[in-house]
Amino acid sequence: GYHRSGQFEMFDALVARLRTGDTHSHLELDKIVMLNAASRGDATLALAMADLVAQDPASIPAVVQTLCKMGRADYAMALVSLDKLPDNNITANIRLELAISDAKVAINPSELPKATLAMIDRGFTPSFRLARNVVSAIWTLGGHGMAIRAYNQLLAAGVPKSTNMMLLGLKLHAHSSEPEAMIGIFDELRKQLAATDFHTLRVPTRAISALVMTLIEKRDVDAAQQAFDFLLTLPIPKTDLPFTPLLRYYINHRMPDRLSTLLGRLVQHDIPLNAAGIDCCCNYFAASVGATDFANFLRYLDRLQTLDRVSDSLFTLFFTTSAAEYRVVDFEWALDALIKLNRPKATWRAIVDQLGKNDPRILSTMVHAAVRLSTDKLEMARMLLLSSIKSEWRAVVADAVLTALHEHKAAVSSRIYQLALSAVVATWNRVQRLAASDSKITKEFLASVLDRNLESAIAAGIGPQVICHALLVISLTAPTGVSRCLEIMQTMDPRERRVQHYGAAARGCKRFKLIAGINAVREEMLRNSVAPTARLLNNFMACYATAAPQSMSYMEEVVTRPGQQDAATDSESLEPLALSNNEADDDALFANLSGIRLHQVALERVMSVWNEFARQGLTPTHETYTLMLQALSNARKFTQGERLISELLDSGLGHNQDTVYQWIRLRMLRGDIKGALCLFRAIGNTERCEQLARNSSLYRGLQKVSLEPKHFAIFIHRYLSSEEPDKAMRFFCAMHELGFRGQPWIYSLMLNTLANADRRDLFVETMKRMAASKIPLSNEVMRVVREYSQTSGLTRGSDPRKHW
């Protein structure tokens, strides 16, 4: 009993008690010890016991069987002298046992059925076990087809159709090209099993599942149901029952009554479903029945302790279904059961991704409820945040986690805040790169999450880098974000404020052109004795320089003709200019001014920041000089702009693409188109730069600068605005011949101008260039092409895509 039940410690103790004080060998005890040692892999003890047991001729079959199972058929052949045994059925079965394990048979398995048939011809009968083992060995060694032929030969030769033999026949034919042969075998097996009383029975699960499917296909579903009902009466493990094919059939053929009856039998007999059956039923409940029955089915699985077989996708499906039907109780029960299953992070990751794709609101509800239902709320929050760290819905998870923790007044750690706010910032960066229609999450929502949680996160002790990124998101999302950033910084310990925090606020001022915001940031830095960096001062300058409408934009151009420039304006020196006394009203001041006066006021502000570089001991960068050139050009300070180019070169920085662009722009605004062309032709041209450098040192280093699309775009715009489309076309073609692609406005402006001038030849050439460069068609380009094609006969149809 201990041996069969695997209670080996009790087995050893009892054997030791029996051996105590008794030096004689007991055959039955030695035989059991041999069998036990073989099952436990103790080859040394098993072989020693085999030597003792083999002394009894009646026990030789058990010895041979044990040694063959251990893979020691060679030892059995050496131990047992078959020639000395009587020529009877027992000896014939021993020879067959050894033949099955013989190495020669492994090389040529066709010899095994021959040996078995020869044994039968001599009038001997193989045991039920050996007959089955012969077919199994041939299946393993010789393949499926040879095993079926051996099975049929043995039955035809008179080998008894034992239960195990017919079960093997089912298994064989389940993998054959003629599975319908299983039906005849099952009919015979059914009669035999009905007349036999078994305590336990093991059936090949895949074979009886294939049998049911074959019955459905070759007979009808009623025959398959009867086979299932018969199998239900047998003493086999309930998990082996082939209910999945029937479930699928009833679901696919919309037979709800039969499905209910089958499920009722499963529930009545407490039959646990396998993963395939669970998947079938759950999908059916979600699609056809509803959340209530779906929840009851999950409760049934929970009662049988098989809820862990429900896949992640099915839990997701249930949450979606129950939320859509407002089944809050069922939703929370399933969520609580899922939490108790202690699923890994991969489960929550899959649920988060799928729920987010279906409906982010359901995802938020699930996360909020998961935190609320957990006994360790902080651990569940951490699990959810880590599981969603690579998900596009991580910000939704972070918001719901923080909301739930705050509602339950949990002491949120800095680690939780760090994970949550980092998730929101990362999502904001992703949304920033996408088109507005490509994201279900808005930047305003993300900024509001940071706004609501940043102060408490700072109090919890999150790192300065996360604070900086969060402030940057808040300031860049809405014009009111800058003032909010300053309010949040007021709550911080002055010793923890960094210049990067003020830089984040300044970036928002730069984006929304908030002059008053820049002034407020500068005042706060002065009040808290925070020294600026060159990058921060550049942001200040960019805000002032771009606050006024820019000349040479693609929609507007202010061109001063040669000889018409304002000499008095251009003669002013680059002396430091004082700020006006009413900086708080700078936004209103910029709104009320226009024209050259507006650009002059903007230049004053830029100059004030320029002077800060010297006061703070900072070195201007390329961006600094670019912004100064832009402001000087806007204010018509052309001479000072040329002088600034000299300062740029003297500083050791040299030219780059941006400073050269602003220099070309300056000359165009001055009306010096020849000077602008001279600059353009010198870019990247060593020989021309050397010629120009003989007359002016300003041109030195231009050969190191490479052309960019914006250098072409400024000339294209200039010539289109002055109604010189042929010259614009030359720059347009040159740009594409170098492999450059312009901004979308260049193409719409080009086509629109050519259409208004009715330059059909240039219009068609522009379209060809765009097609060759695979330029995407914007709505504006499509509008221009469609309107011009209708009026000029450019295309045969109304759809310009056909011509394209």
Side-chain angles (χ1 to χ4, degrees):
Y2 289 144
H3 163 65
R4 291 178 178 176
S5 62
Q7 301 183 56
F8 296 143
E9 291 184 3
M10 299 295 294
F11 179 92
D12 293 340
L14 183 54
V15 170
R17 289 178 61 190
L18 293 173
R19 298 287 196 196
T20 301
D22 189 352
T23 59
H24 298 286
S25 175
H26 296 276
L27 180 63
E28 288 301 320
L29 181 58
D30 292 341
K31 186 188 296 185
I32 294 175
V33 171
M34 176 189 69
L35 296 174
N36 184 261
S39 65
R40 296 167 70 173
D42 189 349
T44 303
L45 179 60
L47 294 178
M49 291 296 103
D51 290 338
L52 295 175
V53 177
Q55 296 175 10
D56 177 29
S59 300
I60 288 178
V63 171
V64 173
Q65 179 182 346
T66 302
L67 294 176
C68 288
K69 281 184 179 180
M70 294 173 59
R72 296 302 306 271
D74 56 336
Y75 193 88
M77 292 180 182
L79 181 64
V80 178
S81 300
L82 296 177
D83 296 336
K84 296 180 180 180
L85 296 177
D87 189 17
N88 55 23
N89 201 70
I90 295 176
T91 304
N93 276 274
I94 292 174
R95 293 180 187 275
L96 184 59
E97 183 92 57
L98 293 171
I100 294 174
S101 303
D102 191 359
K104 295 180 181 179
V105 171
I107 298 174
N108 188 10
S110 61
E111 294 296 325
L112 192 55
K114 293 179 181 179
T116 308
L117 293 174
M119 171 184 170
I120 296 173
D121 290 341
R122 292 172 56 207
F124 301 126
T125 303
S127 67
F128 292 168
R129 179 184 62 82
L130 282 180
R132 186 183 186 281
N133 288 353
V134 166
V135 178
S136 296
I138 294 173
W139 190 1
T140 303
L141 300 174
H144 190 262
M146 186 181 291
I148 290 181
R149 287 195 298 273
Y151 175 82
N152 293 330
Q153 288 174 352
L154 294 180
L155 292 184
V159 171
K161 296 180 180 180
S162 66
T163 300
N164 287 333
M165 191 68 167
M166 285 192 284
L167 289 174
L168 178 60
L170 286 177
K171 192 174 180 180
L172 277 171
H173 287 90
H175 297 80
S176 71
S177 58
E178 299 179 352
E180 60 270 14
M182 289 190 297
I183 298 177
I185 297 174
F186 179 73
D187 289 339
E188 292 187 55
L189 180 63
R190 186 173 180 176
K191 294 177 182 178
Q192 183 169 319
L193 291 175
T196 309
D197 186 15
F198 286 97
H199 292 290
T200 58
L201 182 66
R202 291 296 296 183
V203 296
T205 307
R206 295 177 62 182
I208 61 173
S209 180
L211 169 68
V212 171
M213 288 189 287
T214 304
L215 287 170
I216 292 174
E217 181 181 352
K218 300 299 181 181
R219 290 186 180 176
D220 53 34
V221 71
D222 292 332
Q225 182 66 60
Q226 290 173 6
F228 176 84
D229 293 340
F230 173 73
L231 292 171
L232 190 60
T233 64
L234 298 179
I236 61 177
K238 302 305 181 183
T239 52
D240 292 347
L241 289 171
F243 44 76
T244 303
L246 289 171
L247 288 173
R248 286 178 178 164
Y249 184 88
Y250 293 148
I251 290 173
N252 294 335
H253 289 77
R254 303 193 179 190
M255 304 172 71
D257 294 337
R258 289 204 169 190
L259 178 63
S260 299
T261 302
L262 179 59
L263 290 175
R265 292 187 181 182
L266 298 178
V267 173
Q268 178 184 358
H269 294 276
D270 284 341
I271 300 175
L273 277 72
N274 56 24
I278 290 173
D279 185 81
C280 246
C281 292
C282 288
N283 283 290
Y284 166 73
F285 287 130
S288 305
V289 180
T292 301
D293 287 339
F294 198 164
N296 291 335
F297 180 71
L298 293 180
R299 288 186 174 93
Y300 158 67
L301 297 178
D302 186 42
R303 178 166 59 85
L304 296 183
Q305 298 180 350
T306 56
L307 193 61
D308 57 334
R309 298 180 186 176
V310 179
S311 65
D312 303 339
S313 59
L314 292 179
F315 270 116
T316 304
L317 182 61
F318 174 76
F319 292 139
T320 304
T321 305
S322 57
E325 298 182 15
Y326 302 100
R327 301 293 303 177
V328 179
V329 174
D330 295 333
F331 185 99
E332 293 190 353
W333 174 87
L335 186 58
D336 186 49
L338 179 63
I339 292 170
K340 293 176 180 177
L341 289 176
N342 293 321
R343 288 283 182 92
K345 284 188 291 187
T347 294
W348 295 102
R349 184 183 305 120
I351 292 174
V352 165
D353 285 339
Q354 194 58 47
L355 282 181
K357 292 176 184 177
N358 294 340
D359 191 339
R361 294 172 297 179
I362 298 178
L363 171 60
S364 179
T365 302
M366 187 277 293
V367 173
H368 189 281
V371 175
R372 177 169 53 82
L373 294 171
S374 300
T375 53
D376 190 345
K377 293 178 172 49
L378 291 179
E379 177 58 27
M380 175 53 67
R382 190 187 68 84
M383 170 75 81
L384 290 168
L385 290 171
L386 289 176
S387 64
S388 63
I389 203 165
K390 294 183 179 180
S391 172
E392 61 178 306
W393 310 104
R394 56 194 297 192
V396 177
V397 175
D399 177 46
V401 162
L402 293 178
T403 301
L405 291 176
H406 290 156
E407 286 180 0
H408 290 84
K409 299 180 180 179
V412 186
S413 64
S414 61
R415 173 63 174 163
I416 297 293
Y417 274 123
Q418 194 95 0
L419 288 170
L421 299 191
S422 297
V424 178
V425 171
T427 305
W428 190 90
N429 290 331
R430 177 182 173 277
V431 173
Q432 185 82 347
R433 295 190 297 267
L434 298 174
S437 59
D438 294 338
S439 176
K440 293 183 180 179
I441 302 177
T442 64
K443 291 185 286 187
E444 290 73 18
F445 163 74
L446 299 171
S448 68
V449 175
L450 295 173
D451 191 353
R452 284 185 276 110
N453 295 284
L454 185 54
E455 290 186 34
S456 54
I458 293 173
I462 61 169
Q465 188 174 7
V466 177
I467 298 174
C468 182
H469 290 163
L471 290 172
L472 182 61
V473 169
I474 294 173
S475 70
L476 291 177
T477 303
T480 57
V482 176
S483 58
R484 179 60 182 146
C485 287
L486 295 177
E487 290 176 6
I488 292 173
M489 282 190 283
Q490 289 293 334
T491 65
M492 298 173 60
D493 188 330
R495 293 170 297 181
E496 296 178 355
R497 296 172 191 165
R498 304 285 189 272
V499 66
Q500 291 82 1
H501 300 156
Y502 293 97
R507 288 275 296 277
C509 297
K510 175 184 174 181
R511 166 171 288 191
F512 298 108
K513 303 178 181 179
L514 302 175
I515 304 301
I518 285 291
N519 294 335
V521 172
R522 295 177 68 183
E523 289 175 2
E524 282 294 319
M525 292 179 63
L526 183 62
R527 184 180 300 113
N528 293 283
S529 301
V530 178
T533 62
R535 186 175 181 181
L536 179 56
L537 292 180
N538 286 337
N539 284 331
F540 292 164
M541 292 181 70
C543 184
Y544 291 135
T546 59
Q550 300 300 296
S551 301
M552 294 300 295
S553 66
Y554 79 92
M555 293 301 292
E556 175 188 6
E557 179 186 20
V558 180
V559 179
T560 306
R561 300 297 177 189
Q564 294 181 344
Q565 62 192 45
D566 188 346
T569 301
D570 193 39
S571 65
E572 294 179 8
S573 64
L574 278 173
E575 295 297 325
L577 299 175
L579 284 171
S580 58
N581 294 326
N582 57 341
E583 289 183 3
D585 298 327
D586 268 356
D587 282 334
L589 174 64
F590 273 70
N592 293 328
L593 292 177
S594 62
I596 190 65
R597 180 55 186 154
L598 176 59
H599 291 298
Q600 289 175 344
V601 172
L603 179 60
E604 290 180 11
R605 302 296 187 269
V606 173
M607 285 296 301
S608 70
V609 182
W610 170 267
N611 296 330
E612 279 289 317
F613 278 90
R615 283 197 291 270
Q616 298 293 338
L618 299 173
T619 302
T621 64
H622 274 115
E623 184 181 3
T624 312
Y625 285 101
T626 301
L627 293 168
M628 275 298 302
L629 279 171
Q630 181 178 352
L632 289 168
S633 300
N634 292 341
R636 304 299 184 270
K637 307 293 184 181
F638 303 127
T639 302
Q640 290 91 329
E642 297 277 350
R643 193 183 309 158
L644 188 67
I645 295 293
S646 178
E647 291 186 19
L648 167 68
L649 298 178
D650 293 340
S651 69
L653 289 176
H655 292 291
N656 73 354
Q657 286 86 351
D658 296 325
T659 58
V660 171
Y661 171 80
Q662 290 297 336
W663 194 7
I664 294 173
R665 179 174 174 272
L666 180 147
R667 289 190 170 183
M668 280 195 175
L669 286 171
R670 190 168 60 186
D672 185 9
I673 188 65
K674 290 183 179 180
L677 286 170
C678 182
L679 270 176
F680 178 83
R681 290 166 182 156
I683 297 175
N685 191 322
T686 303
E687 182 180 353
R688 186 175 292 273
C689 284
E690 291 177 353
Q691 293 175 356
L692 294 172
R694 296 191 187 103
N695 299 322
S696 174
S697 62
L698 298 181
Y699 296 95
R700 68 179 186 270
L702 279 177
Q703 71 274 10
K704 298 179 181 179
V705 180
S706 58
L707 284 168
E708 287 189 345
K710 61 185 176 185
H711 298 136
F712 293 89
I714 194 170
F715 285 96
I716 294 171
H717 174 267
R718 170 67 174 76
Y719 287 126
L720 289 176
S721 301
S722 59
E723 299 180 358
E724 298 177 272
D726 293 287
K727 294 181 179 180
M729 193 67 191
R730 284 201 292 272
F731 276 90
F732 183 83
C733 293
M735 179 176 70
H736 285 87
E737 285 170 1
L738 290 176
F740 293 136
R741 297 173 61 174
Q743 295 292 325
W745 65 264
I746 294 179
Y747 302 103
S748 58
L749 176 64
M750 190 86 180
L751 292 174
N752 196 40
T753 304
L754 295 174
N756 292 334
D758 197 20
R759 291 297 303 270
R760 176 174 174 172
D761 55 337
L762 298 183
F763 192 97
V764 172
E765 179 64 23
T766 302
M767 293 176 65
K768 289 180 179 179
R769 294 280 180 177
M770 293 174 65
S773 300
K774 298 181 180 179
I775 305 298
L777 296 176
S778 65
N779 293 333
E780 178 65 16
V781 168
M782 288 298 300
R783 182 191 65 78
V784 173
V785 174
R786 185 180 290 109
E787 291 179 358
Y788 188 51
S789 65
Q790 291 173 350
T791 57
S792 67
L794 183 64
T795 61
R796 295 181 179 179
S798 60
D799 187 0
R801 294 180 189 271
K802 295 180 181 178
H803 178 74
W804 198 265

